[in-house]
């Protein structure tokens, strides 16, 4: 900070040793220190008005953190649930009794932190042609270089890259929009992201807008690279090959 009268700049630090959602933000300890020299007026200001502003920021931070944390939801499979129940059976005399069956349980999700990925790409292709590359089995297999399952209808299955990517089609508007229930094979079991692909035609080009919601935070970079390297770059190569063949 700068002392107004002298114009001198002074450096200090702020330490928050006990930030926790279990404690009230107003009770959060905030330690202020500064380097040797003048500038006590700044230190005093940080201890009063500065501390109030810091706590306001912490309150918003914790609120945002909780929201981000609860966006993702993983539901256990029935098989896993059955295994857990088998381990909890109670033995009475010579009989084994199940306290409850998997079907009668209310499945409770396990929350994980998730993120949303937004990407925009321009392709030298009409929207209808680009749309078909995502919905035609032969074209998907060409750019992915792997056998694929492509059932391009609502509720239809999707499987690509030797099973590393799977899901289903949730919405299809020809030449305009595709919505997928989508996951990578290394994600937590039964966890899916929602992928929306919007095709915006611009003369001979198309802007593809991707929104991927519910990506596990720990897989953000790998998911972004998957779309960029395995989808977009390979689709560009396929489009160029098609153009070369026509010429």
């Amino acid at each position: 900070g700068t002392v107004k009268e002298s114009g001198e700049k002074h450096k200090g630090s702020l330490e928050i040793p006990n930030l926790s959602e279990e404690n009230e933000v107003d009770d959060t300890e905030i330690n202020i220190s500064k380097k040797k020299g003048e500038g006590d007026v700044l230190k005093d200001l940080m201890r009063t008005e500065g501390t109030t502003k810091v706590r306001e920021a912490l309150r918003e931070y914790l609120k945002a953190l909780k929201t981000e944390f609860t966006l993702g939801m993983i539901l256990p499979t029935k098989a896993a649930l059955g295994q857990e129940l088998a381990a909890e059976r109670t033995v009475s005399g010579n009989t084994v009794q199940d306290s409850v069956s998997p079907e009668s349980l209310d499945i409770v999700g396990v929350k994980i932190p998730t993120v949303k990925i937004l990407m925009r790409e321009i392709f030298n292709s009409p929207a209808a042609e680009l749309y078909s590359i995502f919905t035609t089995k032969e074209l998907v297999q060409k750019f992915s270089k792997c056998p694929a399952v492509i059932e391009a209808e609502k509720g239809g299955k999707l499987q690509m890259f030797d099973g590393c990517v799977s899901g289903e089609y949730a919405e299809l508007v020809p030449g305009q929009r595709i919505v997928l229930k989508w996951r990578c094979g290394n994600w937590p079991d039964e966890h899916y992201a929602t992928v929306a692909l919007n095709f915006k035609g611009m003369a001979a080009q198309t802007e593809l807008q991707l929104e991927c919601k519910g990506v596990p935070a720990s897989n953000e970079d790998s998911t972004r690279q998957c779309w960029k390297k395995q989808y977009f770059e390979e689709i560009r190569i396929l489009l160029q090959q098609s153009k070369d063949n026509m010429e």
Side-chain angles (χ1 to χ4, degrees), residues 148-190:
V149 175
I150 302 294
E151 300 173 355
E153 60 184 19
K154 188 172 182 179
K157 299 302 179 186
L158 164 77
Q159 190 172 79
M160 300 172 59
F161 307 116
D162 289 330
C164 292
V165 165
S166 61
E168 66 180 50
Y169 290 88
E171 179 186 344
L172 295 111
V173 182
Q176 298 180 38
R177 178 176 169 85
I178 299 172
V179 178
L180 303 168
K181 180 183 174 184
W182 187 94
R183 63 174 270 108
C184 288
N186 62 347
W187 288 7
D189 290 344
E190 301 300 308

Coordinates of all heavy atoms in Angstrom, one line a residue, residues 148-190:
A148 N -16.7 -47.5 -33.4 CA -17.5 -46.7 -32.5 C -19.0 -47.2 -32.5 O -19.4 -47.8 -33.5 CB -17.4 -45.2 -33.0
V149 N -19.7 -46.9 -31.5 CA -21.1 -47.1 -31.4 C -21.8 -45.7 -31.4 O -21.6 -44.9 -30.5 CB -21.5 -47.8 -30.1 CG1 -23.0 -47.9 -30.0 CG2 -20.9 -49.2 -30.0
I150 N -22.5 -45.5 -32.5 CA -23.2 -44.2 -32.7 C -24.6 -44.4 -33.0 O -25.0 -44.8 -34.1 CB -22.5 -43.3 -33.8 CG1 -21.0 -43.1 -33.5 CG2 -23.2 -42.0 -34.0 CD1 -20.7 -42.3 -32.3
E151 N -25.5 -44.2 -32.1 CA -26.9 -44.3 -32.3 C -27.5 -42.9 -32.1 O -28.0 -42.5 -31.1 CB -27.5 -45.2 -31.2 CG -26.9 -46.6 -31.3 CD -27.4 -47.5 -30.1 OE1 -28.1 -47.0 -29.2 OE2 -27.1 -48.7 -30.1
A152 N -27.5 -42.1 -33.2 CA -27.8 -40.7 -33.2 C -29.3 -40.5 -33.2 O -29.9 -40.1 -34.2 CB -27.2 -40.0 -34.4
E153 N -29.9 -40.8 -32.0 CA -31.3 -40.5 -31.7 C -31.4 -40.3 -30.2 O -30.5 -40.7 -29.5 CB -32.2 -41.6 -32.2 CG -31.8 -43.0 -31.5 CD -32.7 -44.1 -32.1 OE1 -33.2 -44.0 -33.2 OE2 -32.8 -45.1 -31.4
K154 N -32.5 -39.6 -29.8 CA -32.6 -39.4 -28.4 C -32.6 -40.7 -27.6 O -33.4 -41.6 -27.9 CB -33.9 -38.6 -28.1 CG -34.1 -38.1 -26.7 CD -35.3 -37.2 -26.5 CE -35.4 -36.7 -25.1 NZ -36.5 -35.8 -24.9
G155 N -31.7 -40.7 -26.6 CA -31.5 -41.9 -25.8 C -30.6 -42.9 -26.4 O -30.3 -44.0 -25.8
G156 N -30.1 -42.7 -27.6 CA -29.2 -43.6 -28.3 C -27.8 -43.6 -27.7 O -27.3 -42.6 -27.2
K157 N -27.1 -44.7 -27.8 CA -25.8 -44.9 -27.1 C -24.7 -44.3 -27.9 O -24.7 -44.2 -29.2 CB -25.6 -46.4 -26.9 CG -26.6 -47.1 -26.0 CD -26.7 -46.4 -24.6 CE -27.7 -47.1 -23.7 NZ -27.9 -46.3 -22.5
L158 N -23.6 -44.0 -27.2 CA -22.4 -43.4 -27.8 C -21.2 -44.1 -27.1 O -21.1 -44.2 -25.9 CB -22.4 -41.9 -27.5 CG -21.0 -41.2 -27.7 CD1 -20.8 -41.0 -29.2 CD2 -21.0 -39.9 -27.0
Q159 N -20.3 -44.6 -28.0 CA -19.1 -45.2 -27.4 C -17.9 -45.0 -28.4 O -18.1 -45.3 -29.6 CB -19.2 -46.7 -27.1 CG -18.0 -47.2 -26.3 CD -18.3 -48.7 -25.9 OE1 -18.2 -49.6 -26.7 NE2 -18.7 -48.9 -24.6
M160 N -16.8 -44.4 -28.0 CA -15.7 -44.0 -28.9 C -14.4 -44.3 -28.2 O -14.3 -44.5 -27.0 CB -15.8 -42.5 -29.2 CG -17.1 -42.1 -29.9 SD -17.2 -40.3 -30.1 CE -15.7 -40.0 -31.1
F161 N -13.3 -44.3 -29.0 CA -11.9 -44.4 -28.6 C -11.7 -45.6 -27.7 O -11.3 -45.6 -26.6 CB -11.5 -43.1 -27.8 CG -11.8 -41.8 -28.5 CD1 -12.6 -40.9 -28.1 CD2 -11.1 -41.6 -29.7 CE1 -12.9 -39.7 -28.7 CE2 -11.3 -40.4 -30.4 CZ -12.2 -39.4 -29.9
D162 N -12.2 -46.8 -28.3 CA -12.0 -48.1 -27.6 C -12.6 -48.1 -26.2 O -12.1 -48.7 -25.3 CB -10.5 -48.4 -27.5 CG -9.9 -48.8 -28.8 OD1 -10.6 -49.3 -29.6 OD2 -8.7 -48.6 -29.0
G163 N -13.8 -47.4 -26.1 CA -14.5 -47.4 -24.8 C -14.0 -46.3 -23.8 O -14.6 -46.2 -22.7
C164 N -13.0 -45.5 -24.2 CA -12.5 -44.5 -23.3 C -13.5 -43.4 -23.1 O -13.5 -42.6 -22.2 CB -11.2 -43.9 -23.8 SG -9.9 -45.1 -23.7
V165 N -14.5 -43.2 -24.1 CA -15.5 -42.2 -24.0 C -16.8 -42.9 -24.3 O -17.0 -43.7 -25.2 CB -15.3 -41.1 -25.1 CG1 -16.6 -40.3 -25.2 CG2 -14.2 -40.2 -24.7
S166 N -17.8 -42.6 -23.4 CA -19.2 -43.3 -23.6 C -20.2 -42.3 -23.1 O -20.0 -41.3 -22.5 CB -19.2 -44.6 -22.8 OG -19.0 -44.3 -21.4
G167 N -21.5 -42.7 -23.5 CA -22.6 -41.8 -23.1 C -23.8 -42.1 -23.9 O -24.0 -43.2 -24.5
E168 N -24.7 -41.1 -24.1 CA -25.8 -41.2 -24.9 C -26.3 -39.8 -25.5 O -25.9 -38.8 -24.9 CB -27.0 -41.9 -24.2 CG -27.6 -41.1 -23.0 CD -28.7 -41.8 -22.3 OE1 -28.5 -43.0 -22.0 OE2 -29.8 -41.2 -22.2
Y169 N -27.0 -39.9 -26.5 CA -27.5 -38.6 -27.1 C -28.8 -38.2 -26.4 O -29.7 -39.0 -26.2 CB -27.9 -38.8 -28.6 CG -26.6 -39.0 -29.5 CD1 -26.1 -40.3 -29.7 CD2 -26.1 -37.9 -30.1 CE1 -25.0 -40.5 -30.5 CE2 -24.9 -38.1 -30.9 CZ -24.4 -39.4 -31.1 OH -23.3 -39.6 -31.9
A170 N -28.8 -37.0 -25.9 CA -30.0 -36.5 -25.1 C -30.9 -35.6 -26.0 O -32.1 -35.5 -25.7 CB -29.5 -35.7 -23.9
E171 N -30.3 -34.9 -26.9 CA -31.0 -34.0 -27.8 C -30.3 -33.8 -29.1 O -29.1 -33.7 -29.2 CB -31.2 -32.6 -27.1 CG -31.9 -31.6 -27.9 CD -31.9 -30.2 -27.2 OE1 -31.6 -30.1 -26.0 OE2 -32.2 -29.2 -28.0
L172 N -31.1 -33.8 -30.2 CA -30.5 -33.6 -31.5 C -31.4 -32.7 -32.4 O -32.6 -33.0 -32.5 CB -30.3 -34.9 -32.3 CG -29.3 -35.9 -31.7 CD1 -30.1 -37.1 -31.1 CD2 -28.3 -36.4 -32.7
V173 N -30.8 -31.6 -32.8 CA -31.5 -30.7 -33.7 C -30.6 -30.6 -35.0 O -29.5 -30.0 -34.9 CB -31.6 -29.2 -33.1 CG1 -32.4 -28.3 -34.1 CG2 -32.4 -29.3 -31.8
P174 N -30.9 -31.3 -36.0 CA -30.0 -31.4 -37.2 C -29.4 -30.1 -37.7 O -30.1 -29.1 -37.9 CB -31.0 -32.0 -38.3 CG -32.0 -32.8 -37.5 CD -32.2 -32.0 -36.2
G175 N -28.1 -30.1 -37.8 CA -27.4 -28.9 -38.3 C -27.3 -27.8 -37.3 O -26.6 -26.8 -37.6
Q176 N -27.8 -28.0 -36.1 CA -27.8 -26.9 -35.1 C -27.3 -27.2 -33.7 O -26.5 -26.4 -33.2 CB -29.3 -26.3 -34.9 CG -29.9 -25.7 -36.2 CD -31.3 -25.2 -36.0 OE1 -31.6 -24.7 -34.9 NE2 -32.2 -25.5 -36.9
R177 N -27.7 -28.3 -33.2 CA -27.4 -28.6 -31.8 C -27.4 -30.1 -31.4 O -28.2 -30.8 -31.9 CB -28.4 -27.9 -30.9 CG -28.3 -28.1 -29.4 CD -29.3 -27.2 -28.7 NE -29.4 -27.5 -27.2 CZ -28.6 -27.0 -26.3 NH1 -27.7 -26.1 -26.6 NH2 -28.8 -27.3 -25.0
I178 N -26.4 -30.5 -30.6 CA -26.4 -31.8 -30.1 C -26.1 -31.7 -28.6 O -25.3 -31.0 -28.1 CB -25.2 -32.7 -30.7 CG1 -25.4 -32.8 -32.2 CG2 -25.1 -34.0 -30.1 CD1 -24.2 -33.4 -32.9
V179 N -26.9 -32.5 -27.8 CA -26.6 -32.5 -26.3 C -26.4 -34.0 -26.0 O -27.1 -34.9 -26.4 CB -27.8 -32.0 -25.5 CG1 -27.6 -32.1 -24.0 CG2 -28.1 -30.6 -25.9
L180 N -25.3 -34.2 -25.2 CA -24.8 -35.5 -24.9 C -24.7 -35.7 -23.4 O -24.4 -34.8 -22.6 CB -23.4 -35.8 -25.5 CG -23.2 -35.7 -27.0 CD1 -21.7 -35.7 -27.3 CD2 -23.9 -36.8 -27.7
K181 N -25.1 -36.9 -22.9 CA -24.7 -37.4 -21.6 C -23.3 -38.1 -21.8 O -23.3 -39.1 -22.5 CB -25.7 -38.3 -21.1 CG -25.5 -38.9 -19.7 CD -26.6 -39.9 -19.3 CE -26.3 -40.5 -18.0 NZ -27.3 -41.6 -17.6
W182 N -22.3 -37.6 -21.3 CA -20.9 -37.9 -21.7 C -20.0 -38.1 -20.6 O -20.0 -37.4 -19.6 CB -20.4 -36.8 -22.6 CG -19.2 -36.9 -23.4 CD1 -19.0 -37.4 -24.7 CD2 -17.8 -36.6 -22.9 NE1 -17.7 -37.3 -25.0 CE2 -17.0 -36.9 -24.0 CE3 -17.3 -36.1 -21.7 CZ2 -15.6 -36.6 -23.9 CZ3 -15.9 -35.9 -21.6 CH2 -15.1 -36.2 -22.7
R183 N -19.1 -39.1 -20.7 CA -18.1 -39.4 -19.7 C -16.8 -40.0 -20.2 O -16.9 -40.7 -21.3 CB -18.6 -40.3 -18.6 CG -19.0 -41.7 -19.0 CD -19.4 -42.6 -17.9 NE -18.2 -43.3 -17.4 CZ -17.7 -43.1 -16.2 NH1 -18.2 -42.2 -15.4 NH2 -16.6 -43.8 -15.8
C184 N -15.7 -39.8 -19.5 CA -14.5 -40.5 -19.8 C -14.4 -41.7 -19.0 O -14.9 -41.7 -17.8 CB -13.3 -39.6 -19.6 SG -13.1 -38.2 -20.8
G185 N -13.7 -42.8 -19.5 CA -13.6 -44.0 -18.7 C -12.9 -44.0 -17.4 O -13.2 -44.8 -16.5
N186 N -12.0 -42.9 -17.2 CA -11.3 -42.9 -15.9 C -12.0 -42.0 -14.9 O -11.4 -41.7 -13.9 CB -9.9 -42.4 -16.2 CG -9.8 -41.0 -16.8 OD1 -10.9 -40.4 -17.2 ND2 -8.7 -40.3 -16.8
W187 N -13.2 -41.5 -15.2 CA -14.0 -40.7 -14.2 C -14.5 -41.7 -13.2 O -14.6 -42.9 -13.4 CB -15.1 -40.0 -14.9 CG -14.6 -38.8 -15.8 CD1 -13.3 -38.5 -16.1 CD2 -15.5 -37.9 -16.4 NE1 -13.3 -37.4 -16.9 CE2 -14.6 -37.0 -17.1 CE3 -16.8 -37.7 -16.5 CZ2 -15.1 -35.9 -17.9 CZ3 -17.3 -36.6 -17.2 CH2 -16.5 -35.8 -17.9
P188 N -15.0 -41.1 -12.0 CA -15.6 -41.9 -11.0 C -16.9 -42.7 -11.6 O -17.5 -42.1 -12.5 CB -16.1 -40.9 -10.0 CG -15.1 -39.8 -10.1 CD -14.8 -39.7 -11.6
D189 N -17.1 -43.8 -11.2 CA -18.2 -44.7 -11.7 C -19.5 -43.9 -11.7 O -19.9 -43.2 -10.7 CB -18.4 -46.0 -10.9 CG -17.2 -46.9 -11.1 OD1 -16.4 -46.7 -12.0 OD2 -17.0 -47.8 -10.2
E190 N -20.3 -44.1 -12.8 CA -21.6 -43.5 -12.9 C -21.7 -42.0 -13.0 O -22.8 -41.4 -12.9 CB -22.5 -44.0 -11.8 CG -22.7 -45.5 -11.8 CD -23.2 -46.1 -13.0 OE1 -24.3 -45.7 -13.5 OE2 -22.6 -47.0 -13.6

